[in-house]
Amino acid sequence: MKKGVAKKGMATRAIHAGHDNQNDPHKPLITPIYQTASYGFETTEDLAAFYDKTSTRLSEYARYGTPTQRALEETLMALEGAEDAVVTSSGMSAICAAILAVADTGSQIVSLNEGYRGTFKAFDQHLSRLGIHTDYVSLGLDAIKKALDKNVRVLFIEIPTNPFLRLIDLTSAVALAKAKGITTVVDATFASPFNIQPLTYGADLVVHSVTKFLNGHNDTVAGAVLGSKELIEKVRGVRGLLGSNPDAHQCYLISRGIKTFPLRMDAHNRSALQIATYLEKHPKIERVWYPMLTSHPDFTLAQKYLKGGGGIVSFCVKAKNSSQEARFSAASAFLNALTIPTIGASLGGVESLIHQVSVMSYWDMDSAARLKASIQDNLIRFSVGLEDTEDLINDLANALEKI
Ligand code: PLP
């Protein structure tokens, strides 16, 4: 890391942290893509020194890391205020590596019952087979407190949650876990380090789908885990042996994307708030969820914990009647009429992405099960991109005319 960068503003950190190439004889401004699987040693003694951690060498084999990857990790550490970090091949591999680093067979996870469904599927379909079971609790400190018993090893919190952008009182939740020696893992993908840095509230590990706001260009999939040196060393061990390292080219693309991260986040925050405010007033909108709207159930917590509401707005369009069929067709008529946002998965990139949540994430469930999870067929999740806000609002207005 360039000297003194860690203490500078977020834009300076995003551009410079991790990219100190002064020792390279060619002094490249941009950290090169080390496209090599293996690294040579002049002598066996050099190799031994590498293993003894007495040499300055970073890499021996690309599954354990590359200089391109370490530059990205140092940038993320500077953004998140973390002692150490590992990047992984996806957000899912970051979550699984974090859990596997701290949980054993027989230990339990307590997770909020609202969040990214892929995470819950990994917990229920795979970690459960290793004897790591998950207890899902409703959002609230009482429910968390009740669930934290002696076998619980991990408290897993997504903030804000997918798709209703809910928040819990992080400081208090972390304190409940700490009192019992339980590790708190926070998935702050939706907020990104621009809007919240959970380690400052005492969380032990933060995970991100770097695919989203951090990379920001909808062109690569990656993840990260950040925290203390001690915990990250354990996560690094899991990542190295499960082989979920991102390759150097992927890391280069993300480092390039991150240079504009604070500028992009500021624009996402502003545009999404403007769009959420617009939608809330529209007669064809039933309800909007955006943390910075006073109507959001967690507005007060959002004021306390978030710098901005982020780039995601969830909303229900009004339907002819309250049947799921009517809700489904109102939402799909609206989505099909949009010309700027693309109907698709993911979020946090410069291109707007939008979808009907019941179809994109809950299509494998029947309608009754979806409703139990509060997923109505007219619920839409909009990842507000960086197109002109005015163009997006005009596009939404025109599409709402069609229903
Ligand atoms: N966490 C959250 C909150 C997500 O929304 C996602 C993906 O959408 C993930 C984790 C998984 O990330 P990835 O797709 O990079 O594996």
Side-chain angles (χ1 to χ4, degrees), residues 90-92 95 116 158 187 189-190 209 211-212 221-222 347:
S90 66
M92 286 311 304
I95 292 167
Y116 176 57
E158 195 171 295
D187 180 343
T189 298
F190 269 44
S209 167
T211 317
K212 314 297 198 243
V221 169
L347 58 106

Side-chain angles (χ1 to χ4, degrees), residues 13 33 52 55 59 63 80 96 100 104 134 142 202 209 217 239 241 250 262 274 277 289 296 306 330 366 375 396:
R13 280 178 276 150
I33 302 170
D52 289 340
S55 80
S59 309
R63 201 183 70 235
E80 196 74 60
C96 292
L100 290 174
D104 298 307
T134 306
D142 287 347
S209 167
H217 290 75
R239 179 193 66 175
L241 292 175
Q250 196 179 353
Q274 244 177 292
T277 307
W289 288 265
H296 191 277
L306 301 179
D366 61 28
I375 306 297
L396 293 167

Side-chain angles (χ1 to χ4, degrees), residues 327-356:
R327 287 171 186 275
F328 186 93
S329 49
S332 38
F334 164 71
L335 289 181
N336 296 345
L338 289 168
T339 62
I340 299 176
T342 301
I343 298 176
S346 204
L347 58 106
V350 294
E351 295 88 1
S352 288
L353 287 166
I354 199 160
H355 59 252
Q356 227 161 313

